[in-house]
Amino acid sequence: VTPGAIGHISIGGWQDNTDYPVTGLAQEPIVIVPGIMGSRLNRVSDGEEVWPDVAKMLLSGSDDYLDELKLNDKGNQFIDKQMEAGDIIDSAGGTTFYAHLLNAFTDAGYSFGTDLFVVPYDWRFHIGTSSAQFLAPIIQTAIAKSPTGKINIVAHSMGGLLLKEYLAEATSTNFINKLILVGVPELGSPKSFKILNYGDRIGVPLGFLNESKVRDISQNMPAVYELLPSRTYFTATGGGNYVVDFRNVIDSITSYLDYDRTKLVMIENPSDRRNSSLLDLADTFHQSLDTVSFPAQNLYSVIGCQNPATIGTFVLRQDNEVDILAGDGDGTAPLVSAYRPDRNSTNYFVLHSKTRIDHNGLVSDNRTIGLIKNIVMGAPTILSEGITTNVTDCATQLPTLPGNETTISVSTFSPVTLHIYDSQNRHTGVTSSGDTELGIPGSSYERVGGNSFAFVPADDQYRFVVDGLATGEFDMKVKAYRGVELINTATYLAVPLQGEQTNAELGFANSQTPQDLKLDSDGNGVFETIVPPTAVLGAASSTDIVPPVITIMSPTSTDYPRSGAIPISVSVTDDNSGVGIVQTKLDSAVTTSTDIDAFFFALGSHELTVFAADNTGNPSNTSTPFRIIATLESTISDAERAYALGWITEKSAKNEITNKLKKAVRIEQKIEIIKEKRPDGIEVERKIERLERKVDKILLKLLLKDLEKWHNKNLINDSAHTLLKEDTEWLLNN
């Protein structure tokens, strides 16, 4: 098959209401460059399709067959796993990709291989390689077919980076008539960070593709690294740091990571690090390309905005918790990356709040397809509602929905599974096979470790259902957005989980009337507990991401004799949304005491841990280790207290114990006096100390024998015997 001259089966769905006369005259060709994962990949050895192979996704019960797509650590194919690019994907698994766009042009009289060309390519490779190997020959063929020597190009998503690389290397770009960029993340996207570190569906709305498998196979794919935000992303207007690291330091300045520190996060774990050579390759790629402009006089950009499902920021917290914050964009490509105000381009902004068009929808929805077609064919560009030429409209939202919200997000943290059901009982969430189902129109669902993040349109009533996976606690946050502006948040923090049988349900109509969470702890179908919101926060507090600051004044990292009470003194402050939860644990057991009675604790190392969360749910914890030790004086005190508690029943036994210990104390005191009076030097002092230890050991060993004797005679009970034996052995060994 001639490259770009693919066979095409018309698939309905796109309706063109414009009457374009088909004259049969030669017209300037169109070249369509798809985005990542937008081309089929077939096995070279037998021609069988490996990607996407929907039948295997649906029927095999496993995505392991996709292991054939893995590359080696140099970003090259394995000899026994050679792939070749087939067709671009028109539709798959009931989802339309490029079918409607292609049909729009064939319906207008274009024909494949004559004046309509597509560029299937191996989207795993280095973009520069794909540009030269796959894009270049098709562009040259299209130019040769053109009656004017000029062509039109439509590039979607990563396809725009292939095109930019090709044009940067071309000796001349006079062959371009019109160039249309559709959702092109020129500076990269935080979505790629999620792909590489946590898994994702890479913008492919196939619910039966497991995110963890995509993470696995993407680790050595150069193109995925080249979609990471570049250095220019950090400095572009509206861009900046997209990873905030509160794992070790709670500081709103140093915790915002720059480009190089973000890169370090991806390689810091020796057992789970990203490919450092491909990170370097991506850095070099963008440094050479970000400063290059698209050399076209007739340049157009179709850009999505107002979709809060666009990942803006990852917040790394203690205990490996990761939160995701909304950004502005089309759900995949951030606005800051797709919109370059410094270039001479005619821009069309697609407002998600009015159109519900996402990244894939930019090339599959009839409104944007009509716009693209009109631009190419020189027809009047009558804009549909929700499509504008003014970037400031991305920040403007008309209050047309209850509570003025346009999108609702719900997120859960810790060992639970999140499900969402709309008024028609359509489901978005995890299926029994572990894949993701997107049954609610316009919904999205992300998973990062044990946390889930879902977005749904704010024009329906929902049930948010949580299924427990283990014993513990979980948090739930429900956020309301006006465009990408977060306007309020309801939090449900530290909700108890008895185990896998626990489930919870929250009804939702609009953000102005937050409901109570209903909890079924034992899974018998009866909601026996009502959990009101921990907090309902307004716009200012909702954006709080800085965890509370915890200071432990006491105990400190030191030794404490067993005889005394150790004060617990803790300070927790939060400057924004306020402190929501404070929990203190002593050796993993929750305590509400204001001091530690060391008498009832074993000798040795202990730890006080304080957990806190603010009302937004930002967690923090701090620990202080300390030791409880025995001294001669504390052991005397332990004996006196054991007698007062009735653990030692005979006063004579108590007196024998304390007398032996007091004798050891007096000997120590006398030896200290001798050491002070003798100026004989260090060697004599060492001899005296050895004598002291010898005397102590004799007395303490005698005491151990007496403890056994009194215990056998029931003069001291088990508790006293254990306590004083531990004290004595500590003194002997320390």
Side-chain angles (χ1 to χ4, degrees):
V1 179
T2 303
I6 62 170
H8 179 66
I9 300 174
S10 178
I11 299 176
W14 186 81
Q15 299 295 324
D16 183 11
N17 297 319
T18 307
D19 183 18
Y20 294 106
V22 180
T23 63
L25 298 177
Q27 51 195 346
E28 289 177 344
I30 303 168
V31 176
I32 296 176
V33 191
I36 190 168
M37 299 186 85
S39 304
R40 302 182 189 276
L41 298 182
N42 304 327
R43 195 182 300 115
V44 170
S45 60
D46 58 10
E48 287 295 315
E49 182 175 282
V50 176
W51 172 258
D53 199 341
V54 175
K56 282 187 179 178
M57 283 187 189
L58 289 171
L59 302 176
S60 68
S62 170
D63 293 328
D64 287 346
Y65 73 96
L66 292 174
D67 287 342
E68 289 191 73
L69 298 179
K70 290 182 178 179
L71 302 178
N72 63 29
D73 59 3
K74 303 297 183 184
N76 299 320
Q77 297 191 83
F78 291 99
I79 294 176
D80 60 341
K81 296 179 181 178
Q82 298 284 317
M83 298 289 153
E84 60 184 359
D87 195 353
I88 73 168
I89 301 176
D90 47 10
S91 63
T95 299
T96 299
F97 292 93
Y98 297 100
H100 294 171
L101 179 63
L102 297 174
N103 284 346
F105 287 109
T106 57
D107 291 346
Y110 287 82
S111 60
F112 290 101
T114 300
D115 47 20
L116 177 58
F117 298 85
V118 295
V119 185
Y121 61 93
D122 194 325
W123 36 263
R124 303 172 297 166
F125 295 162
H126 168 48
I127 288 174
T129 301
S130 296
S131 179
Q133 181 177 343
F134 300 100
L135 177 60
I138 294 177
I139 284 182
Q140 292 305 315
T141 300
I143 293 172
K145 295 270 189 176
S146 174
T148 65
K150 290 183 177 292
I151 63 173
N152 302 296
I153 304 176
V154 177
H156 177 230
S157 193
M158 191 177 79
L161 292 175
L162 263 73
L163 180 62
K164 191 174 185 181
E165 170 73 12
Y166 174 80
L167 297 177
E169 298 295 328
T171 56
S172 172
T173 58
N174 291 333
F175 60 85
I176 298 176
N177 179 17
K178 295 175 183 176
L179 174 55
I180 305 173
L181 306 177
V182 186
V184 175
E186 287 190 57
L187 306 181
S189 169
K191 185 83 155 180
S192 195
F193 182 89
K194 180 175 181 290
I195 293 168
L196 290 166
N197 293 281
Y198 310 112
D200 196 82
R201 296 187 309 279
I202 315 189
V204 179
L206 301 176
F208 36 81
L209 176 61
N210 192 285
E211 295 100 325
S212 61
K213 176 57 64 176
V214 173
R215 178 188 186 275
D216 184 30
I217 66 174
S218 69
Q219 292 305 301
N220 292 324
M221 293 182 181
V224 180
Y225 287 83
E226 288 162 351
L227 285 175
L228 284 167
S230 68
R231 293 180 186 272
T232 310
Y233 183 97
F234 285 75
T235 58
T237 302
N241 318 70
Y242 71 95
V243 176
V244 184
D245 190 356
F246 288 129
R247 291 175 299 175
N248 300 309
V249 178
I250 299 174
D251 186 308
S252 59
I253 298 176
T254 61
S255 295
Y256 284 78
L257 306 187
D258 60 15
Y259 180 90
D260 291 307
R261 291 172 64 203
T262 300
K263 180 179 175 180
L264 287 176
V265 165
M266 290 188 273
I267 59 175
E268 66 184 3
N269 185 349
S271 63
D272 182 26
R273 60 173 53 172
R274 311 288 73 79
N275 189 318
S276 59
S277 64
L278 295 185
L279 284 168
D280 292 339
L281 176 67
D283 190 12
T284 301
F285 170 77
H286 274 286
Q287 288 198 56
S288 65
L289 202 63
D290 284 357
T291 57
V292 176
S293 298
F294 277 97
Q297 291 184 344
N298 299 315
L299 179 61
Y300 304 84
S301 295
V302 181
I303 301 165
C305 65
Q306 290 193 341
N307 188 346
T310 310
I311 296 175
T313 308
F314 297 90
V315 183
L316 312 184
R317 303 202 184 282
Q318 296 167 337
D319 300 328
N320 295 318
E321 182 176 299
V322 181
D323 199 357
I324 297 179
L325 306 182
D328 197 355
D330 61 18
T332 297
L335 178 62
V336 64
S337 187
Y339 170 52
R340 305 298 304 277
D342 56 335
R343 70 183 176 207
N344 185 21
S345 172
T346 301
N347 302 305
Y348 298 93
F349 299 94
V350 183
L351 309 181
H352 180 265
S353 63
K354 293 181 177 297
T355 65
R356 297 297 173 189
I357 295 175
D358 60 10
H359 185 69
N360 180 64
L362 292 176
V363 289
S364 61
D365 188 278
N366 64 345
R367 290 163 289 183
T368 46
I369 289 174
L371 172 62
I372 294 168
K373 179 180 174 182
N374 288 345
I375 293 172
V376 170
M377 301 190 70
T381 52
I382 302 174
L383 301 181
S384 301
E385 183 181 4
I387 302 178
T388 174
T389 57
N390 191 346
V391 68
T392 60
D393 290 339
C394 289
T396 303
Q397 177 60 49
L398 297 176
T400 57
L401 297 173
N404 298 348
E405 62 260 27
T406 58
T407 303
I408 301 300
S409 81
V410 56
S411 53
T412 56
F413 302 83
S414 283
V416 295
T417 300
L418 171 65
H419 303 273
I420 304 176
Y421 299 90
D422 67 5
S423 59
Q424 299 182 44
N425 211 37
R426 291 173 294 193
H427 172 251
T428 285
V430 181
T431 66
S432 58
S433 63
D435 296 324
T436 302
E437 181 178 48
L438 302 174
I440 299 174
S443 64
S444 65
Y445 194 101
E446 305 278 2
R447 288 186 284 180
V448 175
N451 306 330
S452 299
F453 305 85
F455 291 83
V456 292
D459 55 2
D460 202 349
Q461 296 187 4
Y462 298 99
R463 286 187 302 121
F464 304 143
V465 178
V466 173
D467 290 335
L469 298 175
T471 302
E473 297 176 338
F474 77 92
D475 295 343
M476 174 185 279
K477 303 179 189 179
V478 181
K479 299 179 179 180
Y481 292 89
R482 182 189 297 117
V484 292
E485 178 191 1
L486 179 55
I487 57 176
N488 65 14
T489 302
T491 59
Y492 305 80
L493 306 180
V495 181
L497 288 168
Q498 288 189 7
E500 294 183 10
Q501 74 277 11
T502 302
N503 62 78
E505 183 172 312
L506 178 69
F508 182 88
N510 65 72
S511 64
Q512 303 305 302
T513 56
Q515 303 296 304
D516 293 337
L517 183 69
K518 298 182 293 185
L519 190 66
D520 175 10
S521 298
D522 53 13
N524 65 354
V526 177
F527 296 110
E528 67 273 2
T529 305
I530 300 298
V531 180
T534 303
V536 179
L537 306 167
S541 297
S542 290
T543 59
D544 177 21
I545 67 169
V546 181
V549 176
I550 303 171
T551 305
I552 300 177
M553 284 80 75
S554 176
T556 59
S557 300
T558 187
D559 292 342
Y560 293 88
R562 194 179 218 165
S563 57
I566 306 170
I568 297 176
S569 178
V570 175
S571 169
V572 181
T573 59
D574 187 87
D575 293 336
N576 197 330
S577 60
V579 177
I581 294 173
V582 178
Q583 186 181 76
T584 303
K585 290 184 177 181
L586 182 57
D587 296 337
S588 74
V590 176
T591 179
T592 57
S593 299
T594 57
D595 57 36
I596 302 167
D597 190 346
F599 178 82
F600 293 101
F601 285 83
L603 298 175
S605 298
H606 297 271
E607 186 174 64
L608 184 80
T609 300
V610 179
F611 169 84
D614 59 23
N615 283 313
T616 314
N618 302 312
S620 177
N621 65 76
T622 301
S623 298
T624 296
F626 63 96
R627 282 201 318 168
I628 297 176
I629 64 171
T631 64
L632 290 171
E633 290 81 359
S634 70
T635 306
I636 294 171
S637 176
D638 286 347
E640 296 284 2
R641 189 168 180 184
Y643 177 71
L645 291 170
W647 293 1
I648 300 175
T649 56
E650 288 292 331
K651 188 174 184 179
S652 60
K654 185 266 293 181
N655 290 338
E656 284 278 351
I657 295 169
T658 56
N659 287 337
K660 281 186 170 62
L661 294 168
K662 289 175 181 178
K663 185 180 293 186
V665 171
R666 288 195 295 272
I667 292 172
E668 282 190 351
Q669 291 171 343
K670 288 180 180 179
I671 289 175
E672 287 299 319
I673 293 172
I674 293 171
K675 285 195 293 184
E676 289 176 3
K677 290 182 177 180
R678 291 187 63 102
D680 302 74
I682 296 175
E683 186 58 35
V684 173
E685 185 173 325
R686 286 175 177 169
K687 289 181 180 179
I688 294 173
E689 288 175 349
R690 285 196 293 269
L691 176 63
E692 177 187 354
R693 288 196 296 270
K694 186 174 181 180
V695 172
D696 283 346
K697 284 189 176 182
I698 292 171
L699 291 173
L700 292 171
K701 286 179 179 178
L702 289 173
L703 179 58
L704 281 176
K705 290 181 179 179
D706 288 342
L707 289 173
E708 293 297 327
K709 177 182 67 177
W710 293 324
H711 184 235
N712 290 334
K713 291 182 178 181
N714 295 322
L715 299 180
I716 63 175
N717 66 10
D718 291 344
S719 297
H721 177 255
T722 299
L723 175 77
L724 296 172
K725 182 180 178 182
E726 185 184 25
D727 281 348
T728 306
E729 289 177 342
W730 178 277
L731 293 170
L732 281 168
N733 296 323
N734 295 277

CSV table of all heavy atoms in Angstrom, one decimal, residues 549-589:
chain,number,residue,atom,x,y,z
A,549,VAL,N,1.5,22.5,59.7
A,549,VAL,CA,2.8,22.5,60.3
A,549,VAL,C,2.7,21.9,61.7
A,549,VAL,O,2.0,22.4,62.6
A,549,VAL,CB,3.5,23.9,60.4
A,549,VAL,CG1,4.9,23.8,61.0
A,549,VAL,CG2,3.7,24.4,58.9
A,550,ILE,N,3.5,20.8,62.0
A,550,ILE,CA,3.4,20.1,63.2
A,550,ILE,C,4.7,20.3,64.0
A,550,ILE,O,5.8,20.1,63.4
A,550,ILE,CB,3.2,18.6,63.0
A,550,ILE,CG1,1.9,18.4,62.3
A,550,ILE,CG2,3.1,17.9,64.4
A,550,ILE,CD1,1.7,16.9,61.9
A,551,THR,N,4.7,20.7,65.2
A,551,THR,CA,5.9,20.8,66.0
A,551,THR,C,5.7,20.0,67.3
A,551,THR,O,4.7,20.2,68.0
A,551,THR,CB,6.1,22.3,66.4
A,551,THR,OG1,6.2,23.1,65.2
A,551,THR,CG2,7.4,22.4,67.2
A,552,ILE,N,6.6,19.1,67.6
A,552,ILE,CA,6.5,18.3,68.8
A,552,ILE,C,7.6,18.9,69.8
A,552,ILE,O,8.8,18.8,69.5
A,552,ILE,CB,6.9,16.8,68.5
A,552,ILE,CG1,5.8,16.2,67.5
A,552,ILE,CG2,6.9,16.0,69.8
A,552,ILE,CD1,6.1,14.8,67.2
A,553,MET,N,7.1,19.5,70.8
A,553,MET,CA,8.0,20.1,71.8
A,553,MET,C,8.4,19.0,72.8
A,553,MET,O,9.6,19.1,73.3
A,553,MET,CB,7.3,21.2,72.6
A,553,MET,CG,7.2,22.5,71.8
A,553,MET,SD,5.8,22.5,70.6
A,553,MET,CE,4.4,22.8,71.7
A,554,SER,N,7.6,18.1,73.1
A,554,SER,CA,7.9,17.0,74.1
A,554,SER,C,7.1,15.8,73.7
A,554,SER,O,5.9,15.9,73.4
A,554,SER,CB,7.6,17.4,75.5
A,554,SER,OG,7.9,16.4,76.4
A,555,PRO,N,7.7,14.6,73.7
A,555,PRO,CA,9.1,14.3,74.1
A,555,PRO,C,10.1,14.7,73.0
A,555,PRO,O,9.7,15.0,71.9
A,555,PRO,CB,9.1,12.8,74.3
A,555,PRO,CG,8.0,12.3,73.4
A,555,PRO,CD,6.9,13.4,73.4
A,556,THR,N,11.3,14.8,73.4
A,556,THR,CA,12.4,15.1,72.5
A,556,THR,C,13.2,13.8,72.2
A,556,THR,O,13.0,12.8,72.9
A,556,THR,CB,13.3,16.2,73.0
A,556,THR,OG1,13.9,15.8,74.2
A,556,THR,CG2,12.5,17.5,73.2
A,557,SER,N,14.1,13.9,71.3
A,557,SER,CA,14.9,12.7,71.0
A,557,SER,C,16.0,12.5,72.1
A,557,SER,O,17.2,12.8,71.9
A,557,SER,CB,15.6,12.9,69.6
A,557,SER,OG,14.6,13.0,68.6
A,558,THR,N,15.6,12.0,73.2
A,558,THR,CA,16.5,11.8,74.3
A,558,THR,C,16.1,10.6,75.1
A,558,THR,O,15.2,9.9,74.8
A,558,THR,CB,16.5,13.1,75.2
A,558,THR,OG1,17.6,13.0,76.2
A,558,THR,CG2,15.2,13.3,75.9
A,559,ASP,N,16.8,10.4,76.3
A,559,ASP,CA,16.5,9.3,77.2
A,559,ASP,C,15.7,9.8,78.4
A,559,ASP,O,16.0,10.9,78.9
A,559,ASP,CB,17.8,8.7,77.7
A,559,ASP,CG,18.5,7.9,76.6
A,559,ASP,OD1,17.9,7.7,75.6
A,559,ASP,OD2,19.7,7.7,76.8
A,560,TYR,N,14.7,9.0,78.8
A,560,TYR,CA,13.8,9.4,79.9
A,560,TYR,C,13.8,8.2,80.9
A,560,TYR,O,13.6,7.1,80.5
A,560,TYR,CB,12.4,9.6,79.5
A,560,TYR,CG,12.2,10.9,78.6
A,560,TYR,CD1,12.4,10.8,77.2
A,560,TYR,CD2,11.9,12.1,79.2
A,560,TYR,CE1,12.2,12.0,76.4
A,560,TYR,CE2,11.8,13.3,78.4
A,560,TYR,CZ,11.9,13.2,77.0
A,560,TYR,OH,11.8,14.3,76.3
A,561,PRO,N,14.1,8.5,82.2
A,561,PRO,CA,14.1,7.4,83.2
A,561,PRO,C,12.6,6.9,83.3
A,561,PRO,O,11.7,7.6,83.1
A,561,PRO,CB,14.5,8.1,84.5
A,561,PRO,CG,15.2,9.4,84.1
A,561,PRO,CD,14.5,9.8,82.8
A,562,ARG,N,12.5,5.6,83.6
A,562,ARG,CA,11.2,5.0,83.7
A,562,ARG,C,10.3,5.6,84.8
A,562,ARG,O,9.1,5.5,84.8
A,562,ARG,CB,11.4,3.5,83.9
A,562,ARG,CG,10.2,2.7,83.6
A,562,ARG,CD,10.5,1.2,83.9
A,562,ARG,NE,9.8,0.4,82.9
A,562,ARG,CZ,10.1,-0.9,82.7
A,562,ARG,NH1,11.1,-1.4,83.4
A,562,ARG,NH2,9.4,-1.6,81.8
A,563,SER,N,10.9,6.2,85.8
A,563,SER,CA,10.2,6.6,86.9
A,563,SER,C,9.3,7.8,86.7
A,563,SER,O,8.4,8.0,87.5
A,563,SER,CB,11.2,6.9,88.1
A,563,SER,OG,12.1,7.9,87.7
A,564,GLY,N,9.5,8.6,85.7
A,564,GLY,CA,8.8,9.9,85.6
A,564,GLY,C,7.8,9.9,84.5
A,564,GLY,O,7.8,9.1,83.6
A,565,ALA,N,6.8,10.8,84.6
A,565,ALA,CA,5.9,11.1,83.5
A,565,ALA,C,6.5,12.0,82.4
A,565,ALA,O,7.2,13.0,82.8
A,565,ALA,CB,4.6,11.7,84.1
A,566,ILE,N,6.3,11.6,81.2
A,566,ILE,CA,6.9,12.3,80.1
A,566,ILE,C,5.8,13.2,79.4
A,566,ILE,O,4.8,12.6,78.9
A,566,ILE,CB,7.5,11.4,79.0
A,566,ILE,CG1,8.5,10.4,79.7
A,566,ILE,CG2,8.2,12.2,77.9
A,566,ILE,CD1,8.9,9.3,78.7
A,567,PRO,N,5.9,14.5,79.5
A,567,PRO,CA,4.8,15.3,78.9
A,567,PRO,C,4.7,15.2,77.4
A,567,PRO,O,5.7,15.0,76.7
A,567,PRO,CB,5.2,16.8,79.3
A,567,PRO,CG,6.3,16.6,80.4
A,567,PRO,CD,7.0,15.3,80.1
A,568,ILE,N,3.5,15.2,76.9
A,568,ILE,CA,3.3,15.3,75.5
A,568,ILE,C,2.8,16.7,75.1
A,568,ILE,O,1.8,17.2,75.6
A,568,ILE,CB,2.2,14.3,75.0
A,568,ILE,CG1,2.6,12.8,75.3
A,568,ILE,CG2,1.8,14.5,73.5
A,568,ILE,CD1,1.6,11.8,75.0
A,569,SER,N,3.6,17.4,74.4
A,569,SER,CA,3.3,18.8,74.0
A,569,SER,C,3.5,18.9,72.5
A,569,SER,O,4.6,18.7,72.0
A,569,SER,CB,4.3,19.7,74.8
A,569,SER,OG,4.0,21.0,74.4
A,570,VAL,N,2.4,19.2,71.8
A,570,VAL,CA,2.4,19.3,70.4
A,570,VAL,C,1.7,20.6,69.9
A,570,VAL,O,0.7,21.0,70.5
A,570,VAL,CB,1.6,18.1,69.8
A,570,VAL,CG1,1.5,18.2,68.3
A,570,VAL,CG2,2.3,16.8,70.2
A,571,SER,N,2.2,21.2,68.8
A,571,SER,CA,1.5,22.3,68.2
A,571,SER,C,1.2,22.0,66.8
A,571,SER,O,2.1,21.5,66.0
A,571,SER,CB,2.5,23.5,68.3
A,571,SER,OG,2.0,24.6,67.5
A,572,VAL,N,0.0,22.3,66.3
A,572,VAL,CA,-0.4,22.1,64.9
A,572,VAL,C,-1.0,23.4,64.4
A,572,VAL,O,-2.0,23.9,65.1
A,572,VAL,CB,-1.4,20.9,64.8
A,572,VAL,CG1,-1.8,20.8,63.3
A,572,VAL,CG2,-0.8,19.6,65.3
A,573,THR,N,-0.5,23.9,63.4
A,573,THR,CA,-1.0,25.2,62.8
A,573,THR,C,-1.3,25.1,61.3
A,573,THR,O,-0.6,24.3,60.6
A,573,THR,CB,0.0,26.4,63.1
A,573,THR,OG1,1.2,26.1,62.5
A,573,THR,CG2,0.2,26.6,64.6
A,574,ASP,N,-2.2,25.8,60.8
A,574,ASP,CA,-2.5,25.8,59.4
A,574,ASP,C,-3.0,27.2,59.0
A,574,ASP,O,-4.0,27.7,59.6
A,574,ASP,CB,-3.5,24.8,59.0
A,574,ASP,CG,-3.7,24.7,57.4
A,574,ASP,OD1,-2.9,24.0,56.8
A,574,ASP,OD2,-4.6,25.4,56.9
A,575,ASP,N,-2.3,27.9,58.1
A,575,ASP,CA,-2.6,29.3,57.8
A,575,ASP,C,-3.7,29.5,56.9
A,575,ASP,O,-4.1,30.7,56.6
A,575,ASP,CB,-1.3,30.0,57.3
A,575,ASP,CG,-0.3,30.1,58.4
A,575,ASP,OD1,-0.6,30.0,59.6
A,575,ASP,OD2,0.9,30.2,58.0
A,576,ASN,N,-4.2,28.5,56.2
A,576,ASN,CA,-5.2,28.7,55.2
A,576,ASN,C,-6.6,28.1,55.5
A,576,ASN,O,-7.4,28.8,56.1
A,576,ASN,CB,-4.7,28.2,53.8
A,576,ASN,CG,-5.5,28.8,52.7
A,576,ASN,OD1,-6.7,29.1,52.8
A,576,ASN,ND2,-4.8,28.9,51.5
A,577,SER,N,-6.8,26.9,55.2
A,577,SER,CA,-8.1,26.3,55.4
A,577,SER,C,-8.4,25.9,56.9
A,577,SER,O,-9.5,25.6,57.3
A,577,SER,CB,-8.3,25.1,54.6
A,577,SER,OG,-7.4,24.1,54.8
A,578,GLY,N,-7.4,25.9,57.7
A,578,GLY,CA,-7.5,25.6,59.1
A,578,GLY,C,-7.3,24.1,59.4
A,578,GLY,O,-7.4,23.2,58.6
A,579,VAL,N,-7.0,23.8,60.7
A,579,VAL,CA,-6.7,22.4,61.1
A,579,VAL,C,-8.0,21.6,61.1
A,579,VAL,O,-9.0,22.1,61.8
A,579,VAL,CB,-6.0,22.4,62.4
A,579,VAL,CG1,-5.7,21.0,62.9
A,579,VAL,CG2,-4.6,23.2,62.4
A,580,GLY,N,-8.0,20.5,60.5
A,580,GLY,CA,-9.2,19.7,60.5
A,580,GLY,C,-9.1,18.5,61.4
A,580,GLY,O,-10.0,18.2,62.2
A,581,ILE,N,-8.0,17.8,61.4
A,581,ILE,CA,-7.8,16.5,62.2
A,581,ILE,C,-6.4,16.5,62.8
A,581,ILE,O,-5.4,16.9,62.1
A,581,ILE,CB,-8.0,15.3,61.3
A,581,ILE,CG1,-9.4,15.2,60.8
A,581,ILE,CG2,-7.6,14.0,62.1
A,581,ILE,CD1,-9.6,14.0,59.8
A,582,VAL,N,-6.3,16.1,64.1
A,582,VAL,CA,-5.1,15.9,64.7
A,582,VAL,C,-5.2,14.6,65.4
A,582,VAL,O,-6.1,14.3,66.2
A,582,VAL,CB,-4.7,17.0,65.7
A,582,VAL,CG1,-3.4,16.7,66.5
A,582,VAL,CG2,-4.6,18.4,65.1
A,583,GLN,N,-4.2,13.7,65.2
A,583,GLN,CA,-4.2,12.4,65.8
A,583,GLN,C,-2.8,12.1,66.3
A,583,GLN,O,-1.8,12.2,65.6
A,583,GLN,CB,-4.7,11.3,64.8
A,583,GLN,CG,-4.8,9.9,65.4
A,583,GLN,CD,-5.3,8.9,64.3
A,583,GLN,OE1,-4.5,8.5,63.5
A,583,GLN,NE2,-6.5,8.6,64.3
A,584,THR,N,-2.7,11.7,67.6
A,584,THR,CA,-1.4,11.4,68.2
A,584,THR,C,-1.3,9.9,68.4
A,584,THR,O,-2.3,9.3,69.0
A,584,THR,CB,-1.2,12.1,69.5
A,584,THR,OG1,-1.3,13.5,69.2
A,584,THR,CG2,0.2,11.9,70.1
A,585,LYS,N,-0.2,9.3,68.0
A,585,LYS,CA,0.0,7.9,68.3
A,585,LYS,C,1.3,7.7,69.0
A,585,LYS,O,2.3,8.3,68.7
A,585,LYS,CB,0.1,7.1,67.0
A,585,LYS,CG,-1.3,7.0,66.2
A,585,LYS,CD,-1.1,6.1,65.0
A,585,LYS,CE,-2.5,6.0,64.3
A,585,LYS,NZ,-2.4,5.1,63.1
A,586,LEU,N,1.3,6.8,70.0
A,586,LEU,CA,2.4,6.4,70.7
A,586,LEU,C,2.7,4.9,70.4
A,586,LEU,O,1.9,4.0,70.7
A,586,LEU,CB,2.2,6.5,72.2
A,586,LEU,CG,3.4,6.2,73.2
A,586,LEU,CD1,4.6,7.0,72.8
A,586,LEU,CD2,3.0,6.4,74.6
A,587,ASP,N,3.8,4.7,69.7
A,587,ASP,CA,4.1,3.3,69.2
A,587,ASP,C,2.9,2.7,68.5
A,587,ASP,O,2.5,1.6,68.7
A,587,ASP,CB,4.5,2.4,70.4
A,587,ASP,CG,5.8,2.9,71.1
A,587,ASP,OD1,6.5,3.6,70.5
A,587,ASP,OD2,5.9,2.5,72.3
A,588,SER,N,2.4,3.5,67.5
A,588,SER,CA,1.3,3.1,66.6
A,588,SER,C,-0.1,3.0,67.3
A,588,SER,O,-1.1,2.7,66.6
A,588,SER,CB,1.6,1.7,65.9
A,588,SER,OG,1.5,0.6,66.8
A,589,ALA,N,-0.2,3.2,68.6
A,589,ALA,CA,-1.5,3.1,69.3
A,589,ALA,C,-2.0,4.6,69.5
A,589,ALA,O,-1.2,5.4,70.0
A,589,ALA,CB,-1.4,2.4,70.6
